[in-house]
Amino acid sequence: MTTSNTGNAGGVDPAVRAELARLRESIDNIDAAVVHMLAERFKCTQQVGHLKAAHQLPPADPSREAQQIARLRSLAENARLDPAFAEKLLNFIIAEVIRHHESIADSAGGTSGTGGADTL
């Protein structure tokens, strides 16, 4: 079996190329699903941001963030995914949610803050 990445695809066993193509197609499908799930998640968090702004609630909720990080780390462990990676990913998403909530609060004439956010 040839595993080189030298660009010499002509020398690679056709069965290996077929398996590689199958796996890459699965990866592409999973990536598409992840993007669509994130879009749905952000639709929900946008609604949370509007609700908070309408009721003069702070855009951030550090207690909720801590709960979500602990929950996601546990889910990651159960799925045999590195919990530290899962936490980094969630922190990246939370930062974007906070930015959205602050923007919504600012446009509603509220005050913005920093810290955690409603993440689900």
Side-chain angles (χ1 to χ4, degrees), residues 6 10-11 20 38 44-45 61 63 66 70 72-73 80 84 96 100:
T6 62
L20 184 59
L38 282 172
C44 291
T45 60
D61 186 342
S63 173
L72 193 71
R73 287 184 68 92
R80 295 184 178 186
E96 187 67 7
H100 289 174

Side-chain angles (χ1 to χ4, degrees), residues 16-90:
V16 171
R17 280 187 282 174
E19 180 67 2
L20 184 59
R22 184 190 68 77
L23 290 168
R24 286 178 172 167
E25 184 177 344
S26 291
I27 290 167
D28 292 349
N29 289 337
I30 293 165
D31 287 347
V34 167
V35 167
H36 287 281
M37 292 301 296
L38 282 172
E40 285 301 311
R41 187 182 193 288
F42 276 104
K43 285 178 188 175
C44 291
T45 60
Q46 288 284 354
Q47 291 175 9
V48 168
H50 286 286
L51 186 62
K52 285 180 168 185
H55 296 278
Q56 293 81 44
L57 297 170
D61 186 342
S63 173
R64 169 73 173 164
E65 178 183 347
Q67 290 171 350
Q68 287 304 102
I69 288 171
R71 179 178 168 273
L72 193 71
R73 287 184 68 92
S74 177
L75 289 170
E77 287 173 8
N78 291 336
R80 295 184 178 186
L81 179 68
D82 179 6
F85 169 77
E87 184 174 344
K88 286 178 190 176
L89 177 62
L90 184 61

